[in-house]
């Protein structure tokens, strides 16, 4: 089984991705798709007049402020628009895809953060009503049932909190936890860059392989959201996934190319 996470950054077109997935499924590969929706959420939030706000933690990490309205917009963008777009495209190619979110079948369960520390103009504020958290438990029963029935699961955030609310989580790390829970052979994290670049944005500085003893150093090369991808890749391999690849979703056959080791391979 392989778990493929499709990014939502600029330059990514689901059509080439889906036709590649269709070929793999027809050749007998069992595939589980995960996607995020950060950019789509930001765009929809602008259109709906509730623009995105990003918080900076005291350690310098940024995260989306997820108030109740933002949570709804996040669900509309991820589970509503992007998820159904991928399912539609696969159905058009005669692949029997099924869209679910992390709250369906209690697939992704985690703790909702009870307080977020955010720095604003040098002052640290505590925010208590945010709907965000991390996936701590993956219950793969729903995925195994779908795959055994010949369906291709397409999984979208949010996750379910331990107290039963939807929560905004990082889809790369959720994909990693899912790959581990399913005993997947590969986790492919596809985005709009060739892989982890030693000196971003120079695409010729691609790091081709990172072995386990060097995992701790890998995060040092990444900035911003790429840090989460590196963390997800290393977490997956440490949890038993044979290898994780950060690869390019742009162009033709992006999944086959990543499976062949194009990108940054963590093993
Ligand atoms: P997606 O939404 O497709 O999952 P993200 O936007 O979360 O992707 O992360 C990919 C982005 O990370 C790239 O578009 C790039 O701007 C940024 N990035 C930061 N540092 C690096 C790096 N060292 N190598 C590659 N990309 C990097």
């Amino acid at each position: 089984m392989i778990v493929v996470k499709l990014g939502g950054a600029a330059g990514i077109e689901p059509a080439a991705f889906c036709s590649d997935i269709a070929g793999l499924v027809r050749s007998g590969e069992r595939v589980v798709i995960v996607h995020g929706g950060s950019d789509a959420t930001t765009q929809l939030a602008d259109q709906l007049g509730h623009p995105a706000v990003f918080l900076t933690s005291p350690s310098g990490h940024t995260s989306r402020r997820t108030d109740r309205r933002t949570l709804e917009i996040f669900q509309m963008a991820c589970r509503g628009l992007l998820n159904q777009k991928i399912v539609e495209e696969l159905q058009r190619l005669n692949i029997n895809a099924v869209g679910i979110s992390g709250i369906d079948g209690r697939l992704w369960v985690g703790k909702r953060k009870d307080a977020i520390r955010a720095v604003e103009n040098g002052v640290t504020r505590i925010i208590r009503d945010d709907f965000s958290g991390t996936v701590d438990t993956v219950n793969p029963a729903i995925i195994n049932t779908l795959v055994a029935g010949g369906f291709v699961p397409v999984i979208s955030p949010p996750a379910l909190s331990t107290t039963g609310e939807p929560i905004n989580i990082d889809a790369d790390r959720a994909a990693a936890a899912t790959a581990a829970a399913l005993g997947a052979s590969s986790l492919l994290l596809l985005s709009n860059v060739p892989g982890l670049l030693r000196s971003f944005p120079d695409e010729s500085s691609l790091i081709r392989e990172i072995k386990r003893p060097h995992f701790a150093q890998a995060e040092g090369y990444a900035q911003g959201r790429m840090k989460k991808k590196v963390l997800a890749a290393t977490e997956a391999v440490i949890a038993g996934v044979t290898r994780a690849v950060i690869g390019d979703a742009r162009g033709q056959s992006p999944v086959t190319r990543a499976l062949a080791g194009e990108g940054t391979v963590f093993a």
Side-chain angles (χ1 to χ4, degrees), residues 5-10 12 36-39 170 172 189-201 205 207 218 220-230 246 249:
K5 191 265 175 177
L6 180 65
I12 299 179
S38 186
D39 288 317
D170 180 67
D172 288 304
L189 301 169
L190 305 183
S191 184
N192 66 343
V193 278
L196 178 62
L197 306 174
R198 195 176 292 273
S199 43
F200 176 76
S205 69
I207 300 171
Y221 295 117
Q223 292 108 42
R225 280 149 55 173
M226 183 50 77
K227 274 188 189 296
K228 288 271 174 64
K229 256 181 235 305
V230 172
I246 299 182

Side-chain angles (χ1 to χ4, degrees), residues 24-44:
L24 286 165
V25 171
R26 280 194 203 104
S27 73
E29 185 66 78
R30 290 174 307 153
V31 182
V32 173
I33 299 168
V34 176
H35 65 88
S38 186
D39 288 317
T41 302
T42 302
Q43 282 175 30
L44 185 62

Side-chain angles (χ1 to χ4, degrees), residues 34 54 113 126 163 251:
V34 176
F54 290 92
K113 287 180 189 155
I126 307 258
T163 45

Side-chain angles (χ1 to χ4, degrees), residues 85-96:
K85 171 89 187 152
I86 297 169
V87 172
E88 174 196 327
E89 196 72 35
L90 289 169
Q91 287 294 350
R92 215 172 46 77
L93 297 165
N94 264 321
I95 298 298
N96 210 352

Side-chain angles (χ1 to χ4, degrees), residues 36-38 41 53-54 63-67 70-75 78 103 108 110-113 116 130-135 157-161 165-171 174 228:
S38 186
T41 302
V53 172
F54 290 92
S63 64
R64 182 186 302 276
R65 167 80 172 106
T66 309
D67 57 17
T70 302
L71 176 70
E72 288 171 2
I73 295 168
F74 180 66
Q75 288 181 283
C78 293
I103 73 174
W108 291 340
K111 195 174 175 313
R112 178 179 171 188
K113 287 180 189 155
I116 295 184
D130 208 69
F131 288 87
S132 59
T134 46
V135 173
L160 189 67
S161 79
E165 304 123 333
I167 46 171
N168 181 357
I169 45 87
D170 180 67
K228 288 271 174 64

